[in-house]
Amino acid sequence: MKTFRRIGILTSGGDAPGMNAAIRAITRTAIARGVEVMGIYSGYEGLIEGNVKPFGIRDVSNIVNHGGTVLYSARSPRFKTEEGMQAAMATCRAYNIDGIVAIGGDGTFRGATDLTARGVSCIGLPGTIDNDITATDYTIGFDTAMNTAIEMIDRLRDTSESHARCSVVEVMGRDAGDIALQTGIAVGATAAVVPEITFDEAALVAKIKKSREIGKRNFIVVVSEGMGHDFSERLTSRIEEETGVESRFARLAHVIRGGTPSLRDRLLASRMGEFAVDELLKGRSNEVICDCNNEICAIDIEYALILDRMYKNKLKEGDLDRFTKDQIAEMQATCAKRRADIESLYETVNLLGL
Ligand code: ADP
């Protein structure tokens, strides 16, 4: 079995609160197991450039409570080229990095697979506020982002109530409506608009009109960014024109990507970080660490990536060839459950947001 002298840690893609807790957990677990740690700065770009630094126990002091990532993050188009990949491998050889824990989203995991294929064992940790990694119930950063969103929207509700307005609030989430739906329920939204479910604008207009007639003063509509860039502004104008309720649009954007990580994200990141190192040291690689029904588990990266494609209806010819019938059935069941969960949340927003 491979023995590890030194492992690297990097954060890549969009940052998320809780990444620092993961960096701390990975560093301290590795050192406790007798393995050295290198911090790799700015994701795969730093690996290409050799922007690395030895990390000791004290290098990760006082970071568990901070948002962002002390290792910084960057997109690295170069890493996708053969030249970039060779440079990254040269850094691994030069610094004796035998394994890497890569924290990020699906792009980050693809990079981890490429490195693993060349002999550097990689494990992925799901760090993204969007909760859009189908294999895991929760991603690191999702809970904090939603808590920030509800704090912001509660503030909007105060002023909407004073002025009898409707607030249309756009939240991040890329193609996933998870943030919009869960925060929608938590803030008592009249509606949540998400890309997964066809939205009936006329029904929302009718609902707002009716509620106004029976005395409701403020309205909150939470829209997922996955609806497209101009959607929210246009919906805001339509609500105002057709209901007569003064309406304002607010885009929370990157505000919800920062801030103090919640208990849940710190805990998830810490448990996943510890688990990732132990997986590596057991000789495992090319896995993404997941939260499966509140248990930390490891799932093959290729499986996780194809599951994502299945969920997003983006499967390509031959994608399922390497999987058994049972695995495909399991993937289909996971997608069906996730879709049912989204629909159920959607119904709850509508039922309660009167
Ligand atoms: P996320 O990890 O949040 O999905 P990106 O899609 O931007 O974010 O990916 C982060 C980084 O991972 C990219 O900048 C690139 O260096 C690397 N990456 C993305 N896609 C691939 C790929 N297909 N092959 C190899 N590396 C990739």
Side-chain angles (χ1 to χ4, degrees):
M1 197 161 78
K2 186 167 172 176
T3 46
F4 287 86
R5 290 161 293 179
R6 191 179 276 169
I7 64 165
I9 312 172
L10 60 83
T11 49
S12 158
D15 70 338
M19 281 183 162
N20 283 327
I23 293 167
R24 170 179 176 269
I26 295 159
T27 303
R28 293 199 171 163
T29 305
I31 292 171
R33 309 278 191 260
V35 176
E36 291 175 4
V37 177
M38 292 295 262
I40 301 163
Y41 286 87
S42 305
Y44 292 119
E45 197 59 21
L47 196 61
I48 292 173
E49 298 284 341
N51 189 2
V52 299
K53 186 190 134 186
F55 260 31
I57 284 174
R58 294 270 78 79
D59 289 300
V60 291
S61 295
N62 298 316
I63 66 168
V64 72
N65 51 331
H66 290 295
T69 159
V70 293
L71 286 175
Y72 311 134
S73 189
R75 316 261 177 210
S76 176
R78 272 203 294 167
F79 184 71
K80 294 192 205 172
T81 67
E82 188 52 36
E83 204 190 335
M85 180 59 64
Q86 290 305 334
M89 288 302 297
T91 302
C92 292
R93 280 193 297 273
Y95 292 94
N96 297 321
I97 296 171
D98 316 303
I100 289 178
V101 182
I103 311 165
D106 55 350
T108 302
F109 301 154
R110 279 194 196 95
T113 294
D114 291 350
L115 279 175
T116 303
R118 286 168 166 83
V120 178
S121 307
C122 291
I123 300 272
L125 242 59
T128 161
I129 65 163
D130 302 332
N131 209 36
D132 61 349
I133 312 285
T134 315
T136 183
D137 293 343
Y138 291 99
T139 56
I140 297 165
F142 175 52
D143 186 62
T144 306
M146 289 196 299
N147 279 302
T148 307
I150 66 172
E151 192 191 325
M152 298 293 137
I153 299 171
D154 286 347
R155 289 168 191 237
L156 285 171
R157 184 196 267 259
D158 289 346
T159 169
S160 297
E161 176 69 6
S162 306
H163 292 271
R165 281 183 187 141
C166 171
S167 278
V168 177
V169 188
E170 188 184 286
V171 292
M172 280 192 162
R174 288 218 282 197
D175 298 327
D178 298 49
I179 295 178
L181 288 170
Q182 297 202 22
T183 58
I185 292 170
V187 301
T190 302
V193 192
V194 297
E196 292 93 332
I197 297 176
T198 311
F199 183 64
D200 186 345
E201 281 185 34
L204 173 64
V205 166
K207 188 179 184 184
I208 292 177
K209 263 187 176 165
K210 195 165 159 226
S211 298
R212 176 49 64 91
E213 276 162 21
I214 55 171
K216 184 170 169 63
R217 284 179 65 82
N218 79 72
F219 300 88
I220 305 283
V221 177
V222 184
V223 180
S224 171
E225 71 172 335
M227 294 304 295
H229 220 63
D230 296 330
F231 180 89
S232 301
E233 289 97 323
R234 200 192 42 72
L235 181 66
T236 310
S237 305
R238 179 168 178 188
I239 291 170
E240 180 159 302
E241 276 159 27
E242 295 188 21
T243 65
V245 176
E246 199 184 345
S247 301
R248 293 279 188 277
F249 167 59
R251 178 175 286 129
L252 299 188
H254 290 75
V255 163
I256 67 166
R257 283 250 291 258
T260 307
S262 67
L263 173 138
R264 191 168 184 147
D265 279 331
R266 296 184 203 192
L267 193 60
L268 186 68
S270 301
R271 291 172 75 205
M272 284 182 162
E274 179 188 350
F275 197 93
V277 172
D278 284 336
E279 283 294 287
L280 267 183
L281 300 188
K282 277 183 207 156
R284 311 247 165 81
S285 61
N286 210 36
E287 291 178 336
V288 53
I289 307 304
C290 295
D291 177 345
C292 313
N293 299 317
N294 206 27
E295 287 230 7
I296 305 298
C297 63
I299 292 181
D300 176 66
I301 287 186
E302 315 270 3
Y303 180 102
L305 291 174
I306 297 300
L307 177 64
D308 263 342
R309 276 204 208 143
M310 181 186 277
Y311 181 68
K312 291 168 189 160
N313 292 319
K314 286 184 180 163
L315 279 180
K316 293 186 199 139
E317 180 100 24
D319 270 354
L320 296 176
D321 289 357
R322 54 161 294 206
F323 299 102
T324 64
K325 257 181 149 175
D326 284 352
Q327 284 177 311
I328 296 168
E330 188 187 58
M331 284 182 189
Q332 285 164 340
T334 304
C335 293
K337 166 145 193 333
R338 204 159 168 132
R339 288 195 187 105
D341 287 347
I342 292 284
E343 271 166 33
S344 166
L345 289 168
Y346 187 78
E347 279 167 22
T348 303
V349 182
N350 284 320
L351 175 74
L352 303 181
L354 292 175

